[in-house]
Amino acid sequence: MNGSSLSSDQSSLDIIIPVFNGAEYLRETHKQLTSVLISITENYRIIFVDDGSSDGSNSVMKEISAADPCSGWIRLEHNFGQQPATVSGIRQGRGVPVLTMDDDLQHPPELIPDMLKLLGLGYDAVFAVKGINEKRAFGSRMRDLFFSAITTSGSVKVSSYRLLGKNAVNKLLDIDGDEFYISAEVLRDNKLKASNVYYTGTELRGRRGRYSVLSRLMLFAGLLSKYTFRNNRTSAGNITSGSVQCKIADKGGFLC
């Protein structure tokens, strides 16, 4: 499906990349991503969200944005976490569809045309995950168990590499809390259609996971409590007094 373009109802594409100490990967991530995007559309925007990095990531973002008019950056006041940082980037975007991906070469950009094609067929969200027969990390297996407990979406697997259509993006824009999981917000009431694209290869192109087994267990235990035992909630805002509108310290590129 290489060479696929945006459909008639996909006028532009926003790519949101939350960044935490990813300076050494950002240039190559940008290079690989743009090499795919230019074959799809000229109407795309890449938004890097610096989530409290301490390794010079923001300087690299500024460098990239100075050279690429399709790239912009946001620097948050401190580390809010990947989920709120991602939604903060979505709020700075201009519409749909929205692609979210990691900052460290874990997610192959060459899957984007396949993801766009599925979205054009009527799906609300498309998740790119390793193939069924591929070795999956402990955190991915934990995530699968978590989603099997909160949704009836069948065999759909989730990841932070996702393409979101209008209905899914609107769900996220309605969040007013700071304790939530993006994919759970999209799928938890089973009203939206989701699908997968798969990729192979067990070697990580980027860094290893940043979370310990214990921290992942604690994360998913907390999420399970929020999304199952409080199943009468309508949004994350009903279980927390925080705000997903993370405080932005600075921003640049086309966002200014």
Side-chain angles (χ1 to χ4, degrees), residues 137-151:
F138 173 79
S140 297
R141 297 196 302 271
M142 286 292 298
R143 184 170 55 220
D144 292 344
L145 288 173
F146 164 63
F147 273 88
S148 68
I150 69 165
T151 75

Side-chain angles (χ1 to χ4, degrees), residues 5-44:
S5 59
L6 295 178
S7 63
S8 59
D9 59 343
Q10 299 170 350
S11 58
S12 65
L13 176 63
D14 282 355
I15 301 91
I16 312 299
I17 305 178
V19 178
F20 181 70
N21 292 340
E24 67 177 296
Y25 303 103
L26 292 180
R27 294 181 185 88
E28 185 62 24
T29 295
H30 176 264
K31 178 182 177 181
Q32 293 185 18
L33 181 58
T34 53
S35 69
V36 173
L37 292 173
I38 60 176
S39 70
I40 299 173
T41 179
E42 295 180 351
N43 198 11
Y44 68 85

Side-chain angles (χ1 to χ4, degrees), residues 30 34 42 44-47 61-73 94 252-256:
H30 176 264
T34 53
E42 295 180 351
Y44 68 85
R45 305 201 312 174
I46 302 171
I47 302 176
M61 292 180 200
K62 291 179 179 179
E63 172 193 314
I64 291 171
S65 296
D68 179 11
C70 293
S71 295
W73 57 271
R94 60 184 172 184
F254 59 75
L255 295 174
C256 291

Side-chain angles (χ1 to χ4, degrees), residues 13-16 90 95-100 119 162-165 169:
L13 176 63
D14 282 355
I15 301 91
I16 312 299
I90 292 174
V96 293
V98 171
L99 180 84
T100 72
L119 203 71
R162 46 175 107 77
L163 182 68
L164 305 174
V169 169

